[in-house]
Amino acid sequence: MLPVTPKKELCEVTKGVAVLLQELITLLPNIMEVESQNGEEKYAADIFSIKEAQARISSFIHKTPVFTSESLDALSGRRLYFKCELYQKGGAFKFRGACNAVFSLNDNQAAKGVITHSSGNHAAALALAAKLRGIPAYIIIPKNAPKCKVENVVRYGGQIIGCEPNMQSRESTAAKVLEETGAVLLHPYNDGRIISGQGTISLELLEQAPQIDTIIAPISGGGLISGVALAAKFINPAIRILAAEPKGANDAAQSKAAGKIITLPETNTVADGLRAFLGDLTWPIVRDFVDDVITVEDNEIIEAMKLCYEILKVAVEPSGAIGLAAVLSNGFKNNQAFKDCSHIVFECFEMEVESQNGEEKYAADIFSIKEAQARISSFIHKTPVFSSESLDALSGRRLYFKCELYQKGGAFKFRGACNAVFSLSDDQAAKGVITHSSGNHAAALALAAKLRGIPAYIIIPKNAPKCKVENVARYGGQIIRCEPNMQSRESTAAKVLEETGAVLLHSYNDGRTISGQGTISLELLEQAPQIDTIIAPISGVALAAKFINPAIRILAAEPKGANDAAQSKAAGKIITLPETNTVADGLRAFLGDLTWPIVRDFVDDVITVEDNEIIEAMKLCYEILKVAVEPSGAIGLAAVLSNGFKKNQAFKDCRHIGIILSGGNVDLGTLWESFERR
């Protein structure tokens, strides 16, 4: 039996509801602002669709970091915040919109797939989002599109359909595929679902840095700035939204001035990601929510890119650097309308994983390193970090020793080998893996292959130390002998490759290997976040560490008798030596075409040390740390104790130093001889 509510209580409830309704009516203009100011057009997105997008895509996207820089603050005279969408999946903010659009589809729509015509970041982002949902992505790409952009789409599983390099061919090809497949056409920016996805940037940003009073974002088709502006203005109506645009593609500035969409007969700018024109869905939002457009010259954009590389240590393309270019421009600095813009954020996006010369690509990045960590975490050891007050006193610094000698296989090499082996598809893996090496990589690859249950063919020179051959055999590697020269190693590997169809995995010049080694930094900077400097034999450590802390200093340690890296850094190109002569036999290899761009751009300096300094460091590791390291593993300590390091004023701020004890399987006979020579 239900209780009867007294009349007095009912009246109070009714009054409460009335008050609540009155408050809701008062708030409605702020909450339901989906009408444009002219009262006719509707906006393609709003705060509700953006919050729905956030809930929909949060498990798929990265919550990207916000960087700051005192140097750039001083240069601009403002407090600057950099929202780093270059670290988004796919390398750009585009993945947010594409992901929201793909996961907005109902099951019947999704089953037929999605389609777009694009050769840029939207194409790759859509392919990746479709892959995550397990549906087809048909990407119409002009035949003259850059190879790297085509490869991005293929990497993410997109089905490429070529067309002629003009808009008519792109659209007619898309229409034909649309008719054949029934797929859903998703425009790169002129779509409410895309705009809503991009708007999630503001939801994150204003939670990470609520003190911001100004947002500067690039503008092209308007999808990014539309979503950003809608969300930001809802959270803080007083916030200022500024668009940054190249003078050679200033259609948005002209459109704002004219009060209608202006398209240009042609565009001319280094920022090729900003050549699109506003769409009928993005224009009303830009018109009503973007406060002003700042145009900048190409030389200002290039200078901003340079500052991003040198100070922030982030690799952005011109389109991603334009926000910084805008705030450093005279047009901004001298404009009294912007004098109150004191806390400014930039959208840094579109990380083209290319080196500074615009041709080579980095073989790994923070995403591949994090993927490697997820892939191999159940197989590897999370190695400990040791410290020693005695060695701190000896060096005059606080030292942290990352003990990769306690990794499976006895060296850091297992991380890279494990990631490479478990990156292979089942079809690739079934035929096995192959390498030519007699060192730690050979043993690591044999162990990783054993864990996956596949063959490992290891080409080993006939004169290799018995202990190293035994290591490979211990882990189940199939040993194939060759003559002790590179020509024989490579020809033997080629023959086995032809016979077996196995996958050849290089010991260091491979992105999968570099990514695996980079997981060391992810662990180390979690274990000892106070570190300001890392000293290591050269590996993927630099990429991960610079992402986590752009200000961190990465130093390479190298024997003077095998100083090709030092010479290469000085020359700005790969230098190989006619011969090497060092006790650190694990450090006699030369830089590869994949490792060199990373070393060139991310390693701050190379410290070279004498063999007697390496042996002394080994002795200290034995006597004080109680760890048995080979010469290659002790070289980091040798470097920090060397006079070249201690007396160099450039290193005086290196106070908390992480040293990678890389590990390795020691040939004791060679080791004793080295001690005797000393």
Side-chain angles (χ1 to χ4, degrees):
M1 191 172 181
L2 294 173
V4 178
T5 305
K7 189 172 182 181
K8 181 172 180 280
E9 290 182 14
L10 186 62
C11 290
E12 287 174 354
V13 170
T14 305
K15 283 180 184 177
V17 170
V19 170
L20 183 62
L21 282 172
Q22 186 58 47
E23 289 176 352
L24 199 56
I25 290 167
T26 305
L27 288 171
L28 274 175
N30 293 323
I31 297 174
M32 295 296 293
E33 206 158 9
V34 293
E35 298 278 336
S36 68
Q37 292 176 7
N38 61 19
E40 295 172 4
E41 297 167 293
K42 284 185 179 180
Y43 299 129
D46 55 41
I47 190 61
F48 305 113
S49 66
I50 292 169
K51 287 192 172 182
E52 285 173 357
Q54 186 180 48
R56 184 177 292 120
I57 70 177
S58 61
S59 62
F60 300 105
I61 65 171
H62 293 311
K63 185 174 183 179
T64 54
V66 174
F67 287 176
T68 59
S69 164
E70 291 182 5
S71 298
L72 291 176
D73 289 352
L75 204 58
S76 66
R78 326 273 173 145
R79 187 80 172 97
L80 307 182
Y81 307 81
F82 298 85
K83 178 66 170 166
C84 294
E85 282 296 296
L86 70 166
Y87 296 132
Q88 188 51 260
K89 285 184 181 176
F93 72 93
K94 290 281 190 180
F95 181 67
R96 294 176 183 264
C99 191
N100 185 52
V102 165
F103 282 90
S104 295
L105 302 176
N106 64 40
D107 290 343
N108 290 334
Q109 291 173 312
K112 295 177 180 178
V114 289
I115 184 173
T116 197
H117 51 84
S118 165
S119 62
N121 296 306
H122 174 68
L126 192 64
L128 176 56
K131 182 180 181 180
L132 290 172
R133 188 158 183 185
I135 62 174
Y138 306 99
I139 314 295
I140 315 301
I141 294 185
K143 292 176 182 176
N144 65 344
K147 185 181 177 185
C148 65
K149 296 197 174 185
V150 177
E151 288 173 348
N152 275 339
V153 174
V154 173
R155 185 178 300 121
Y156 296 129
Q159 299 182 39
I160 293 172
I161 297 117
C163 69
E164 296 303 316
N166 58 66
M167 189 55 71
Q168 182 181 352
S169 177
R170 286 167 66 155
E171 291 179 347
S172 62
T173 306
K176 184 181 177 185
V177 176
L178 205 60
E179 186 179 352
E180 291 171 354
T181 62
V184 178
L185 180 66
L186 293 175
H187 195 276
Y189 56 86
N190 203 44
D191 185 300
R193 296 162 294 194
I194 299 289
I195 295 168
S196 298
Q198 322 304 29
T200 62
I201 295 172
S202 284
L203 301 185
E204 281 182 15
L205 172 60
L206 293 175
E207 180 186 285
Q208 292 167 308
Q211 65 273 40
I212 286 165
D213 56 50
T214 307
I215 295 176
I216 300 181
I219 191 166
S220 183
L224 169 65
I225 203 164
S226 292
V228 164
L230 284 169
K233 290 281 191 182
F234 175 84
I235 296 167
N236 176 10
I239 203 165
R240 183 171 287 180
I241 306 295
L242 303 176
E245 187 176 45
K247 283 190 178 174
N250 66 343
D251 63 295
Q254 291 191 39
S255 298
K256 286 284 282 185
K260 63 180 181 180
I261 295 180
I262 300 292
T263 57
L264 307 177
E266 62 178 0
T267 59
N268 182 19
T269 176
V270 68
D272 59 358
L274 302 180
R275 288 178 173 168
F277 300 136
L278 294 165
D280 63 324
L281 299 183
T282 57
W283 161 241
I285 302 170
V286 171
R287 179 193 63 207
D288 297 343
F289 289 90
V290 174
D291 296 289
D292 211 336
V293 181
I294 303 163
T295 57
V296 292
E297 301 283 0
D298 274 9
N299 65 312
E300 294 174 308
I301 297 172
I302 293 168
E303 180 61 27
M305 282 179 69
K306 184 170 176 284
L307 291 170
C308 285
Y309 276 90
E310 292 178 351
I311 297 176
L312 283 183
K313 307 298 184 188
V314 297
V316 293
E317 69 165 349
S319 308
I322 196 170
L324 178 59
V327 85
L328 295 178
S329 67
N330 289 330
F332 183 86
K333 287 182 174 179
N334 298 334
N335 192 328
Q336 286 299 301
F338 303 138
K339 64 181 172 60
D340 296 328
C341 299
S342 57
H343 290 72
I344 305 172
V345 71
F346 307 99
E347 313 290 347
C348 296
F349 65 90
E350 292 182 349
M351 182 177 183
E352 297 285 328
V353 287
E354 296 185 5
S355 66
Q356 294 175 19
N357 61 19
E359 295 173 1
E360 299 164 293
K361 294 191 290 183
Y362 297 133
D365 55 35
I366 189 61
F367 310 113
S368 65
I369 292 169
K370 286 192 171 183
E371 285 173 357
Q373 186 181 48
R375 184 178 293 121
I376 68 178
S377 60
S378 62
F379 300 106
I380 65 171
H381 292 315
K382 185 174 183 179
T383 53
V385 174
F386 287 177
S387 60
S388 163
E389 291 182 4
S390 299
L391 291 176
D392 289 351
L394 203 58
S395 66
R397 326 277 172 140
R398 188 82 173 89
L399 306 182
Y400 306 81
F401 297 89
K402 179 67 170 167
C403 295
E404 282 297 296
L405 69 165
Y406 296 133
Q407 188 50 261
K408 286 183 181 176
F412 75 98
K413 288 283 190 179
F414 180 66
R415 293 176 183 264
C418 191
N419 185 52
V421 165
F422 282 91
S423 295
L424 301 176
S425 68
D426 289 343
D427 288 342
Q428 290 174 311
K431 294 177 180 178
V433 290
I434 184 173
T435 197
H436 50 84
S437 166
S438 62
N440 298 305
H441 173 69
L445 192 64
L447 175 56
K450 182 180 181 180
L451 291 172
R452 188 158 184 186
I454 62 175
Y457 305 99
I458 314 296
I459 316 301
I460 296 183
K462 292 175 181 177
N463 64 346
K466 184 181 176 184
C467 66
K468 298 198 174 185
V469 178
E470 288 173 346
N471 276 336
V472 174
R474 184 180 300 124
Y475 295 129
Q478 299 182 40
I479 296 168
I480 297 127
R481 293 292 197 166
C482 69
E483 297 302 317
N485 58 67
M486 188 55 71
Q487 184 181 352
S488 178
R489 286 168 64 157
E490 290 179 346
S491 63
T492 306
K495 184 180 177 185
V496 177
L497 204 60
E498 187 179 353
E499 291 172 354
T500 63
V503 179
L504 181 65
L505 294 175
H506 196 276
S507 55
Y508 57 86
N509 203 44
D510 185 297
R512 296 162 294 194
T513 300
I514 296 168
S515 298
Q517 323 303 27
T519 62
I520 297 171
S521 278
L522 301 185
E523 284 182 13
L524 174 58
L525 292 177
E526 179 187 287
Q527 293 166 310
Q530 64 272 45
I531 286 170
D532 55 52
T533 306
I534 294 177
I535 300 182
I538 297 164
S539 69
V541 165
L543 284 169
K546 289 283 190 182
F547 172 84
I548 297 166
N549 176 8
I552 204 165
R553 184 171 287 179
I554 305 296
L555 303 176
E558 187 176 47
K560 284 191 177 173
N563 67 342
D564 63 295
Q567 291 192 39
S568 298
K569 286 284 281 184
K573 62 181 181 180
I574 296 179
I575 299 292
T576 57
L577 308 177
E579 62 178 359
T580 58
N581 181 20
T582 176
V583 67
D585 58 358
L587 300 179
R588 288 178 175 168
F590 300 136
L591 293 165
D593 62 324
L594 299 183
T595 56
W596 161 241
I598 301 169
V599 172
R600 180 193 62 208
D601 297 342
F602 290 91
V603 173
D604 296 289
D605 211 337
V606 181
I607 303 164
T608 57
V609 292
E610 300 284 1
D611 274 8
N612 66 311
E613 294 174 308
I614 297 172
I615 293 169
E616 180 61 28
M618 286 178 65
K619 183 170 175 287
L620 291 170
C621 286
Y622 278 79
E623 293 177 350
I624 297 176
L625 284 182
K626 308 299 182 188
V627 297
V629 293
E630 67 169 350
S632 306
I635 196 169
L637 178 59
V640 87
L641 295 178
S642 68
N643 287 330
F645 182 86
K646 286 182 175 179
K647 294 178 180 178
N648 192 328
Q649 286 300 301
F651 304 139
K652 63 182 173 58
D653 296 327
C654 301
R655 307 306 308 166
H656 292 77
I657 303 174
I659 296 174
I660 311 296
L661 299 181
S662 55
N665 299 295
V666 184
D667 181 347
L668 291 177
T670 304
L671 184 61
W672 302 144
E673 288 174 13
S674 302
F675 276 114
E676 286 171 6
R677 283 201 305 270
R678 180 175 174 271

